[in-house]
Amino acid sequence: MAIVTYIRGDATTPLGKGVKVIAHVCNDQGGWGKGFVLAVSRRWPEPEADYRRWHRERAGNDFGLGAVRLVRVATHLWVANMIGQHGMRTGSKGPPVRYEAIDRALGEVGRRALELGATVHMPRIGCGLAGGSWGRVEPLVLERLSACGVQVTVYDHD
């Protein structure tokens, strides 16, 4: 079983050698423009372009809660766009985070990371604009990634 390492830093500049996957949570509405995605877009245009295309063509693909797209941004670096929040604002049904969707998406990220021989890097996914609790997300990370042997680094931005 791999462990989760917590560090201060920027998840868009993942540490270490080898293949890396940067995982983050997106909404199911096609909105990209606040939170961690801004840092992603400042570094690479491909994840946003892929997400917008994926959403635009959703009638003919798997876009929806729990789905994942890995977008290659460098030779040994991928960004995993995980659909893990419904909508973009807290409403009568609570915050937009959907833990079951994050769980399903992390399962796919874990499978792909093992195929690639990759480590996974992330901010505290689902806990920013999505309004989630790390106390609920961390066990999903442990079960879907660490327990399968995927090394995870969680970045707390300065």
Side-chain angles (χ1 to χ4, degrees):
M1 180 166 159
I3 60 165
V4 175
T5 302
Y6 291 86
I7 64 170
R8 284 212 152 306
D10 180 356
T12 66
T13 56
L15 301 175
K17 298 191 183 317
V19 180
K20 298 174 199 71
V21 174
I22 298 170
H24 72 107
V25 169
C26 303
N27 66 68
D28 64 354
Q29 302 296 301
W32 182 291
K34 290 185 179 179
F36 184 72
V37 298
L38 292 178
V40 170
S41 290
R42 277 194 293 273
R43 303 253 339 194
W44 313 282
E46 299 91 348
E48 178 180 358
D50 185 80
Y51 170 80
R52 291 188 185 280
R53 183 173 45 257
W54 188 25
H55 177 263
R56 188 173 52 251
E57 298 170 359
R58 67 191 175 279
N61 64 43
D62 68 343
F63 185 92
L65 288 169
V68 179
R69 290 275 285 251
L70 263 69
V71 181
R72 186 178 231 156
V73 295
T75 304
H76 297 294
L77 185 61
W78 301 77
V79 172
N81 290 336
M82 304 186 306
I83 310 300
Q85 70 179 71
H86 177 63
M88 294 180 273
R89 291 183 176 78
T90 296
S92 61
K93 295 182 181 174
V97 66
R98 294 296 180 266
Y99 297 108
E100 61 283 350
I102 291 173
D103 185 43
R104 191 162 63 246
L106 284 171
E108 178 63 13
V109 169
R111 187 183 69 72
R112 295 289 307 277
L114 288 171
E115 286 175 4
L116 294 166
T119 55
V120 174
H121 304 259
M122 64 179 68
R124 291 185 188 235
I125 58 171
C127 298
L129 296 173
S133 158
W134 188 247
R136 299 235 356 234
V137 174
E138 183 185 42
L140 306 177
V141 172
L142 291 169
E143 182 178 339
R144 298 297 180 201
L145 300 175
S146 298
C148 299
V150 176
Q151 177 63 49
V152 178
T153 303
V154 175
Y155 295 75
D156 288 315
H157 200 269
D158 292 327

